[in-house]
């Protein structure tokens, strides 16, 4: 997993979008300091686990035994649950954010588009999409009011069972089946418990850095289930220190799956010009995407592998998803 740290935000160039959350100047892709760069579990503004500063409310949402507790992360309420995956045998937290339209009586009988969002770093105990450190909810809030952005439901799972068990969202031999948890158990729960569109053009996936790897791999493992993917400063070959060179695992790399992918995906590959490795990764992967899928590389002028660059590009991210995914529709 990759990561670095976070100085000031450069301006955005042309089409482009963002770059992701990370720590340190050297590209150590598996570690990320907590708190300061918006990815660790030390601060509530980073999407950390709730503390006394982020009290749980009393409201719960229960459906056939799956209980959701309303949690406040300092700026927005999200629903939190611990999902015990039937297919994977893995248990991890999942957070859900619904747009204001979801609870509007005028839309009570509509299904909504859904985005599966994966954090940078190890993603164990936190997901840094949960609060407004990226302004993701804010962009959807304002854009959905004027119709420029679709009212997406956000699904934000933990990404690993432990920071020391870096499976990169894949079922590695002898390890917890985190890949199955994320690509099967989580989507099944969301479809059962929330009014979301069925798999296909109503589903998108996005992530930053290591989360971008996960979003890419999961969408490619499930042809027909996703319509669009945004990779933010992502990479496309595993970087875990766990054993992962067996033939079955190598065949699940995004670089292995993309050239023969049987479905259709719209890809947005974001990289900052001050992160040449990210640019190289995006351009290389774009060359592997074959029709009818499409790939767009967006370069952020002066952008780095930083949370601040990511946040600045959020309007473009959701404009891309809104262009390529379906909007709410009657049930």
């Amino acid at each position: 997993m990759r990561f670095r740290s976070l100085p000031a935000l450069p301006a955005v160039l042309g089409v482009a979008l963002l770059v992701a959350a990370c720590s340190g100047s050297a590209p150590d892709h598996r570690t990320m300091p907590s708190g300061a760069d918006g990815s660790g579990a030390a601060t509530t503004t980073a999407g950390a686990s709730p503390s006394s500063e982020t009290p749980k409310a009393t409201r719960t949402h229960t459906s056939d035994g799956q209980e959701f507790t309303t949690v406040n992360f300092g700026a927005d309420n999200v629903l939190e649950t611990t999902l015990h995956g039937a297919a994977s045998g893995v248990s991890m937290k999942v957070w859900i954010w619904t747009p204001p339209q979801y609870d509007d009586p005028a839309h009570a009988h509509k299904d909504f588009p859904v985005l599966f969002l994966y954090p940078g770093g190890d993603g164990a105990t936190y997901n840094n999409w949960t609060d407004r450190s990226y302004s993701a909810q804010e962009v959807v809030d304002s854009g959905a009011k004027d119709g420029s952005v679709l009212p997406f439901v956000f699904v934000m799972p933990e990404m690993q069972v432990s920071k020391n068990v870096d499976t990169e969202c894949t079922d590695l031999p002898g390890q917890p089946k985190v890949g199955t948890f994320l690509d099967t158990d989580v989507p099944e729960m969301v479809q059962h418990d929330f009014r979301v569109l069925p798999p296909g053009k109503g589903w998108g996936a996005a992530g930053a850095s290591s989360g971008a790897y996960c979003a890419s791999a999961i969408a490619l493992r499930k042809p027909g289930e996703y319509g669009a993917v945004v990779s933010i400063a992502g990479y496309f070959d595993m970087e875990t220190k766990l054993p992962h060179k067996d033939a079955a695992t190598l065949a699940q790399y995004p670089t292995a799956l993309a050239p023969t992918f049987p479905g259709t995906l719209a890809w947005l590959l974001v990289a900052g010009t001050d992160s040449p490795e990210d640019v190289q990764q995006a351009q290389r992967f774009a060359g592997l995407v074959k029709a009818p899928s499409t790939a767009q590389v967006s370069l952020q002028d002066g952008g780095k592998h930083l949370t601040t660059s990511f946040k600045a590009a959020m309007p473009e991210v959701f404009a891309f998803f809104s262009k390529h995914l379906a909007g709410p529709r009657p049930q």
Side-chain angles (χ1 to χ4, degrees):
M1 300 203 160
R2 36 173 87 191
F3 274 90
R4 301 166 225 182
S5 100
L6 105 193
L9 170 71
V12 174
L13 173 68
V15 241
L17 272 359
L18 29 332
V19 190
C22 292
S23 91
S25 56
D28 179 355
H29 304 318
R30 294 172 183 78
T31 60
M32 187 170 187
S34 62
D37 60 2
S39 68
T43 65
T44 57
T45 57
S49 298
S51 69
S52 59
E53 297 179 357
T54 57
K56 292 186 177 182
T58 56
R59 183 168 70 92
T60 60
H61 166 86
T62 306
S63 177
D64 293 348
Q66 190 66 42
E67 183 176 280
F68 299 83
T69 302
T70 302
V71 180
N72 183 279
F73 281 92
D76 228 26
N77 288 334
V78 298
L79 294 171
E80 176 186 286
T81 191
T82 297
L83 176 63
H84 305 290
S88 66
V90 169
S91 296
M92 292 197 294
K93 288 184 178 180
V94 182
W95 294 275
I96 308 287
W97 178 81
T98 57
Q101 291 79 5
Y102 188 90
D103 294 320
D104 184 340
H107 301 281
H109 301 289
K110 289 183 179 179
D111 290 334
F112 285 73
V114 59
L115 300 179
F116 295 82
L117 304 172
Y118 302 94
D122 54 72
T125 75
Y126 71 90
N127 185 312
N128 46 1
W129 293 83
T130 52
D131 69 4
R132 297 199 177 214
S133 58
Y134 292 165
S135 293
Q137 292 95 330
E138 187 174 69
V139 170
V140 173
D141 275 347
S142 60
K145 289 177 183 176
D146 64 20
S148 61
V149 172
L150 294 177
F152 296 106
V153 171
F154 289 3
V155 179
M156 304 164 284
E158 287 187 85
M159 206 163 65
Q160 305 294 355
V161 296
S162 165
K163 66 179 181 180
N164 298 317
V165 183
D166 181 11
T167 60
E168 300 215 60
C169 306
T170 302
D171 290 351
L172 296 180
Q175 300 298 333
K177 293 185 177 181
V178 174
T180 298
F181 179 86
L182 294 171
D183 70 25
T184 301
D185 290 325
V186 172
E188 287 183 357
M189 179 271 287
V190 172
Q191 291 178 88
H192 185 269
D193 291 345
F194 294 89
R195 302 193 323 274
V196 297
L197 292 171
K201 290 297 184 181
W203 287 23
S209 193
S210 51
Y213 179 92
C214 289
S216 302
I218 289 169
L220 288 166
R221 289 202 301 261
K222 296 291 185 176
E225 291 196 6
Y226 298 84
V229 182
V230 174
S231 166
I232 304 159
Y235 57 96
F236 304 95
D237 291 313
M238 273 195 181
E239 298 185 345
T240 180
K241 294 178 181 177
L242 296 174
H244 63 282
K245 296 296 186 181
D246 61 286
T249 301
L250 290 171
Q252 295 186 68
Y253 283 16
T255 51
L257 293 171
T260 58
F261 182 68
T264 301
L265 282 170
W267 290 87
L268 178 64
L269 309 168
V270 179
T273 59
D274 281 6
S275 296
E277 181 182 359
D278 293 341
V279 174
Q280 183 181 30
Q281 289 275 356
Q283 292 175 338
R284 173 177 172 243
F285 185 76
L288 299 176
V289 175
K290 306 301 181 185
S293 294
T294 59
Q296 171 187 338
V297 175
S298 289
L299 299 181
Q300 183 179 30
D301 187 29
K304 297 178 174 64
H305 202 95
L306 304 174
T307 302
T308 46
S309 298
F310 180 10
K311 179 177 180 177
M314 280 293 101
E316 297 291 341
V317 172
F318 290 104
F320 179 84
F321 277 130
S322 297
K323 177 180 178 181
H324 292 282
L325 297 180
R329 68 184 185 205
Q331 294 175 319

